[in-house]
Amino acid sequence: MIALFRVALRAESSAAGAALRDREESPLLALVVAHLVVAALLPLVSARNRRAAFAVAAVLPAATLLWALAEAGPALAGGVTATTAWAPTLGLMLSFRLDALALAMIVLVSGLGAAILVYCVGYFGSDSSEAPRSAALLLAFAGAMLGLVLADDLLTLYVFWELTSIASFLLVGQGGEQGEERRAAVQALLVTVFGGLAMLLGFVLLGEAAGTYRISEIVAAGQAGSLHGGAVTAALLLILLGAFTKSAQLPFHPWLPAAMVAPTPVSAYLHAASMVKAGVYLVARLAPGFSDQAVWWVPVVVVGLGTMIVGGWRALSATDLKQLLAFGTVSQLGFLTVLLGSGGPLGEISALAGIALLLAHGLFKAPLFMVVGTIDHATGTRDLRRLSGLRTALPGTAVAAALAAASMAGIPPLLGFVGKEAAFEGFLDEGGLRGWIVALGLLLGSVLTAAYSARFLWGAFARKPGVEPTSVHRPGALLTVPVWICSIAGLALGIAYPVVDALGASYAAEYPDESGYHLAIWHGLGLPLLFTAVAIAGGLLLHAQRARVLALSSRSPLDAQRGYELTIAAIARLALTVTGRLQVGSLPAYLATILVAFVLLPGVATILGGAWPGGQPTYHSLTQVPLAIVVVIAALAAVRARRRLTAVLLVGVIGYGVGGLFIVDGAPDLALAQFLVETLSLVAFVFVLRRLPADFTEEPSPRRVRLPKALLGAVGGAAVAVFAIVMSGARTTPSATAAEFVRLAPAEAGATNVVSAIIVDFRALDTVGEIGVLAVAAVGVASLVLATRYDRRGRRGPVESGQNTPQHEEDLLG
């Protein structure tokens, strides 16, 4: 901590706006990859010793934290960046950046991650079936989260964003034996992936509007005021939607309490220290560039305050200690969203408060979750109605929990108090309607925070009248030492507030205002201190009236979890209805659905947004004309054909005609492939048709059915033709990828035919896959041909066959 304090002070004295230090040798990507590689190897350790796997897993996050602290100087001075080319021709890069915000997140992701992994050594038994998968997945999750917070590219961030969702799904679901685990895992996955897909669309819109996907450049463009317009507005709303789902904001918050079915260390890491802060981190990362726009700060303030109040209110009725902390986490995430995303005239102060509370939240919520795990281990229950007298039975754990809960409630001199007073200061000094509304909303949320902090301590450790003292067995040091480390860290950073102030000041410098405010334990008497006192006193008063509060909070008319269940049920009913209408076993219906979808979506978009290329000749070569006429006549004749073989031959004529067009257009290799496919298709059809009646047996459709089909076919064909012409004419110059293929074909593949080089060399694996598909198709055709190979008609009896029924074989053989 002292080292960080010294380098932070040196960084603070550095010139503002110091140039980023781009160091290719920086091990940012290597650290991320190392987490994933070691996670893949951990099952080998688990096979020998399941507890040792957690100890091994803790080494890498601890090393990452030490490295990040060693790089604190340059990180706070401007940042340490590293870029690795992924597909440079396409402009795809893996860009990483270590700055103040990323450093604060690494303290949580890696520092708390190492502590929780050590806690797992004592939590999981030597024969636990959950231990091997949990060790590997926790470390893999740590690597994905590390990549997320270091990413300086929107697409890179999205990749790691979804990796955290997948890891969370596997950790919450565990082995999937319990229905409750499966439901919670699916709910978390559905909500976060839905938000992630919306966010991806927002990333694309924002990246295209900015002309870059580099996050630091996008934020700089936003600060310069050069990013405006409808596309940017839509992008920001979609990005906020993704952030709200990930960080359990209203109305998406129910997935977080439901995920408490996971083992307690998983809850402590994913749902207190790291994963749920991914959305808050994204808001904090982009806020300096966009918080001055109403489309950004209005949703952030409204949703954040609503989440803080609703989460705190629901925590007052929880009887399971983990559920209580889960709703408390929801509330605190709303608080962080407001601080780190609202900006405003004094955005620097709220940013400082946000960094302080970001660290404080991890340092008090993770140990509180671990305390719940310790209590569960020692007593066999987490129900606060059954727990009694643990204050004397587990005095050390009670003191550590009291320290953490005091920081959560905002009691000095803990870090939670330092950050909360700064939050009050920022919005009270802002004044105006917005400033007072936010300040009073934060005060109400803080009253609830103090109330559920008191409820947690009372429920876990107090002696309750009429409840027998709970019998316990002493927890080992591995279940208590990590709790103490985290709780004391919250106290130490509160006292050593200049360290957090230097860290927060580097991030807050991205805001234009210069308030001169610094974090401190004592700012004198004033409204912020009065708000803190009111919050603590009001919370204690609410807790004293807990019986009445419990009766009120349990009568809430709104239940977001019920809303989620109704939504999923409605989607299932809609899917069943659509499937019942479309999946009717009719090939014409399927083709009609595809054509309608094509005409309504890309077809309409092409007409509205596409530009007809100018100077389009009717044909390039006179030979194309008779070939095209043959294809058209064969297509019309195939529709009118009444015999199966005639229709198949006409379809073959169409294919051979298209192959002829390929030859005329200078693609003999493609034409050869077309001829081969058509020949094989004809052979397969002949083998199959010999088992079917010669004529089409169904009656011709009435005119009222044929006309809509003909109209749809004509419109669909016209739409495909227009789409092909517009899209082929949209590119005026060769693509960079095509030019690269042309350059590499002679030297790398020894080929002058670029198409052949692509198929055989550059996309060899894809070609092998296509060959595999053809092999599967050939097996299917052979199965059809040989299906009745051993069928035989007896002299007197019916057909004897292992296939289907005798009556069916009679029908086939006539």
Side-chain angles (χ1 to χ4, degrees), residues 17 34 84 128 162 164 198 202 215 242 300 427 436 583 624 776 786:
T84 301
S128 171
E162 295 299 358
T164 61
I215 297 175
V300 164
F427 291 103
W436 277 100
Q583 300 293 329
Q624 292 175 325
V776 171
L786 302 175

Side-chain angles (χ1 to χ4, degrees), residues 634-773:
L636 293 174
V639 175
R640 302 289 299 173
R642 290 292 173 261
R643 296 182 66 84
R644 298 180 190 273
L645 184 59
T646 303
V648 168
L649 292 176
L650 289 171
V651 171
V653 170
I654 296 171
Y656 286 119
V658 172
L661 290 172
F662 289 154
I663 294 176
V664 174
D665 289 335
D669 49 354
L670 192 57
L672 179 61
Q674 179 74 15
F675 292 152
L676 289 175
V677 169
E678 289 299 330
T679 303
L680 289 173
S681 299
L682 282 174
V683 172
F685 272 126
V686 169
F687 275 121
V688 175
L689 290 178
R690 74 185 184 89
R691 313 297 297 176
L692 297 175
D695 296 326
F696 291 109
T697 55
E698 66 273 11
E699 294 294 328
S701 301
R703 186 181 183 85
R704 60 182 178 80
V705 176
R706 283 182 293 169
L707 285 178
K709 288 182 178 180
L711 179 62
L712 179 58
V715 172
V720 171
V722 171
F723 186 81
I725 293 173
V726 172
M727 292 297 106
S728 61
R731 176 174 289 150
T732 57
T733 58
S735 68
T737 306
E740 192 71 6
F741 280 141
V742 172
R743 184 183 69 84
L744 292 175
E748 300 294 332
T752 56
N753 188 318
V754 179
V755 175
S756 298
I758 292 172
I759 294 174
V760 176
D761 289 277
F762 302 140
R763 293 178 55 191
L765 290 177
D766 188 23
T767 303
V768 170
E770 293 173 355
I771 293 172
V773 171

Side-chain angles (χ1 to χ4, degrees), residues 145-208:
M145 196 68 199
L146 182 64
L148 190 155
V149 301
L150 290 174
D152 192 30
D153 177 86
L154 291 177
L155 298 181
T156 304
L157 187 150
Y158 175 75
V159 169
F160 289 109
W161 183 283
E162 295 299 358
L163 286 177
T164 61
S165 295
I166 294 171
S168 171
F169 168 76
L170 296 173
L171 283 165
V172 172
Q174 289 295 308
E177 291 87 358
Q178 303 296 324
E180 190 178 10
E181 293 176 345
R182 294 194 298 272
R183 285 191 297 271
V186 168
Q187 181 175 353
L189 186 69
L190 286 177
V191 173
T192 56
V193 169
F194 161 75
L197 291 174
M199 183 188 72
L200 176 60
L201 178 56
F203 281 172
V204 173
L205 291 175
L206 185 60
E208 292 301 312

Side-chain angles (χ1 to χ4, degrees), residues 404-629:
S407 182
M408 182 163 63
I411 296 176
L414 291 138
L415 184 58
F417 163 77
V418 174
K420 192 167 293 187
E421 189 183 38
F424 292 145
E425 178 82 38
F427 291 103
L428 288 172
D429 286 356
E430 176 183 332
L433 181 62
R434 191 191 93 139
W436 277 100
I437 288 176
V438 175
L440 292 174
L442 296 182
L443 175 60
L444 176 57
S446 297
V447 169
L448 297 174
T449 301
Y452 65 70
S453 299
R455 178 176 174 80
F456 176 85
L457 292 177
W458 169 82
F461 299 103
R463 179 70 180 271
K464 302 179 182 67
V467 181
E468 291 294 325
T470 308
S471 59
V472 302
H473 64 82
R474 293 285 178 178
L478 291 172
L479 291 178
T480 55
V481 171
V483 176
W484 272 102
I485 291 174
C486 296
S487 298
I488 291 177
L491 174 62
L493 286 178
I495 296 172
Y497 58 85
V499 177
V500 182
D501 183 69
L503 182 63
S506 179
Y507 167 69
E510 298 187 43
Y511 286 89
D513 61 293
E514 296 182 4
S515 62
Y517 182 87
H518 292 281
L519 297 176
I521 295 178
W522 177 252
H523 283 101
L525 299 176
L527 273 179
L529 187 62
L530 176 62
F531 269 44
T532 299
V534 169
I536 296 172
L540 293 176
L541 180 62
L542 267 182
H543 175 65
Q545 301 295 320
R546 55 185 172 272
R548 296 180 180 178
V549 171
L550 180 61
L552 289 173
S553 60
S554 60
R555 297 176 189 170
S556 174
L558 301 177
D559 187 350
Q561 178 63 25
R562 179 63 177 162
Y564 163 80
E565 293 170 356
L566 291 175
T567 301
I568 295 300
I571 292 173
R573 287 194 298 271
L574 177 62
L576 185 61
T577 302
V578 172
T579 303
R581 295 289 185 271
L582 299 182
Q583 300 293 329
V584 293
S586 169
L587 183 58
Y590 299 159
L591 293 176
T593 302
I594 294 172
L595 286 176
V596 168
F598 179 82
V599 170
L600 292 180
L601 297 177
V604 172
T606 302
I607 293 174
L608 296 178
W612 189 270
Q616 288 290 319
T618 306
Y619 55 86
H620 295 90
S621 171
L622 189 60
T623 314
Q624 292 175 325
V625 177
L627 288 172
I629 292 174

Side-chain angles (χ1 to χ4, degrees), residues 217-280:
E217 296 176 3
I218 291 173
V219 172
Q223 291 171 330
S226 59
L227 289 178
H228 294 286
V232 174
T233 297
L236 295 180
L237 290 174
L238 289 168
I239 290 171
L240 285 176
L241 177 61
F244 291 163
T245 58
K246 196 77 162 185
S247 286
Q249 302 294 290
L250 286 178
F252 308 105
H253 65 283
W255 73 262
L256 179 56
M260 291 301 108
V261 298
T264 299
V266 173
S267 300
Y269 192 30
L270 273 65
H271 307 134
S274 56
M275 176 187 166
V276 290
K277 291 190 176 68
V280 172

